[in-house]
Amino acid sequence: MSSNKIKWSSWPLLVPALALLAGILLVPLADTFIRSVSAPGTYTNLLTDGVTMTVLWRTAVTAATVTVAALLIGYPYAYLMTRVSPRARGILLVIVLIPFWTSVMARNFAWIIILQDGGPVQSLFAFFGAEDVVLYGSTAGVTIAMTQVMLPFMVLPLFSTLGGIDRRLLLAARGLGSSPTAAFWKVFWPLSRGGVMAGVILVFTLSLGFYVTPALLGSPQESLVAQLLAQRTTLLLDFAAAGALGMVVLVVTLVLVAWANRMGGTVSAIGVVAASPPKDR
């Protein structure tokens, strides 16, 4: 039997998965799109509404800030994971995975206690003379909490990529007269850009649709897109405007993913989670 016949005979096995995907993803998306275009001028009103555009801009800035902060923290951490012994690597990996084993609500209520008035963070700032710093109910507090939640989604792709880089290339660069800093930026960093791109896109797109953390730690005056969507669907019952806003966020996400694939590709989520520890070199 030829390989083409084997491939075609395997297609029926995908029918249940494709049907399930269509039922839970494509049908709701189609319904949302139909609702968004059911009212004339929905997209025009959306793009000319000052409040909506302010919320979209605030969401984009918050997601970008969370992404940059997660990258600055996650890259050195993932690099350290590839340099330590297997036992220490396992401990560091468990620390990364602990947030997945903790309830989202529990983590957010913990941040409320930490950031609230008179809490540990405000007391620390007051100790250094900054008594007026208030993080609870602000975008800054939401950004800090979101960074902690999103950090594993940055570390895991980076760990998968950095662990696969052959460090003998750095030794070769050093042997050719390159300094450690130059060897890192000219050899190691370009090889790690695939993991960086995967983590950046993953964290940014997930941050765009965050709801629980901004709802609990933020304020209505500084709401994000997910809060605006919830308000328009549950309070205002404006499903057309909510659908249009959701479609705009979806298009932005798809454009970012396509750009990431064009720039250097992304890491499969399954491959990231199931990544084996790097070999000691």
Side-chain angles (χ1 to χ4, degrees), residues 125-175:
F125 279 107
F127 178 78
F128 290 100
E131 295 87 355
D132 298 332
V133 175
V134 178
L135 293 177
Y136 179 65
S138 66
T139 304
V142 171
T143 302
I144 294 173
M146 287 178 59
T147 301
Q148 185 268 331
V149 175
M150 289 287 100
L151 195 57
F153 295 97
M154 178 67 73
V155 172
L156 292 177
L158 288 172
F159 171 56
S160 177
T161 301
L162 299 184
I165 298 176
D166 191 347
R167 298 188 180 277
R168 291 175 298 181
L169 297 175
L170 295 175
L171 296 177
R174 294 291 304 278

Side-chain angles (χ1 to χ4, degrees), residues 53-265:
M53 296 307 297
T54 299
V55 171
L56 285 172
W57 175 251
R58 183 186 301 122
T59 303
V61 171
T62 302
T65 305
V66 170
T67 303
V68 172
L71 178 61
L72 293 177
I73 299 173
Y75 196 100
Y77 190 91
Y79 183 83
L80 177 64
M81 291 174 66
T82 64
R83 297 294 294 168
V84 296
S85 64
R87 183 176 181 179
R89 185 182 302 126
I91 295 175
L92 294 176
L93 184 59
V94 169
I95 294 175
V96 173
L97 296 178
I98 284 177
F100 292 117
W101 306 334
T102 309
S103 170
V104 175
M105 296 300 296
R107 279 182 286 168
N108 283 287
F109 279 114
W111 276 111
I112 291 177
I113 296 173
I114 294 173
L115 300 177
Q116 67 182 349
D117 293 343
V121 174
Q122 191 176 56
S123 300
L124 179 63
F125 279 107
F127 178 78
F128 290 100
E131 295 87 355
D132 298 332
V133 175
V134 178
L135 293 177
Y136 179 65
S138 66
T139 304
V142 171
T143 302
I144 294 173
M146 287 178 59
T147 301
Q148 185 268 331
V149 175
M150 289 287 100
L151 195 57
F153 295 97
M154 178 67 73
V155 172
L156 292 177
L158 288 172
F159 171 56
S160 177
T161 301
L162 299 184
I165 298 176
D166 191 347
R167 298 188 180 277
R168 291 175 298 181
L169 297 175
L170 295 175
L171 296 177
R174 294 291 304 278
L176 294 174
S178 177
S179 65
T181 302
F184 174 83
W185 286 111
K186 293 183 179 180
V187 178
F188 196 85
W189 172 256
L191 295 175
S192 67
R193 281 187 298 186
V196 171
M197 191 66 65
V200 166
I201 295 300
L202 187 60
V203 171
F204 186 81
T205 53
L206 290 176
S207 298
L208 287 177
F210 241 65
Y211 174 73
V212 177
T213 300
L216 293 178
L217 297 176
S219 65
Q221 292 76 21
E222 297 183 356
S223 61
L224 302 184
V225 164
Q227 296 167 270
L228 184 60
L229 283 170
Q231 182 185 45
R232 290 187 172 179
T233 54
T234 59
L235 298 179
L236 303 178
L237 301 180
D238 190 356
F239 297 105
L245 184 58
M247 295 305 297
V248 169
V249 176
L250 176 63
V251 169
V252 171
T253 303
L254 293 177
V255 169
L256 288 173
V257 173
W259 172 77
N261 284 323
R262 187 176 183 84
M263 290 297 294

Side-chain angles (χ1 to χ4, degrees), residues 40-50 52-53 232:
T42 302
Y43 286 93
T44 302
N45 296 333
L46 175 68
L47 298 177
T48 56
D49 181 16
T52 302
M53 296 307 297
R232 290 187 172 179

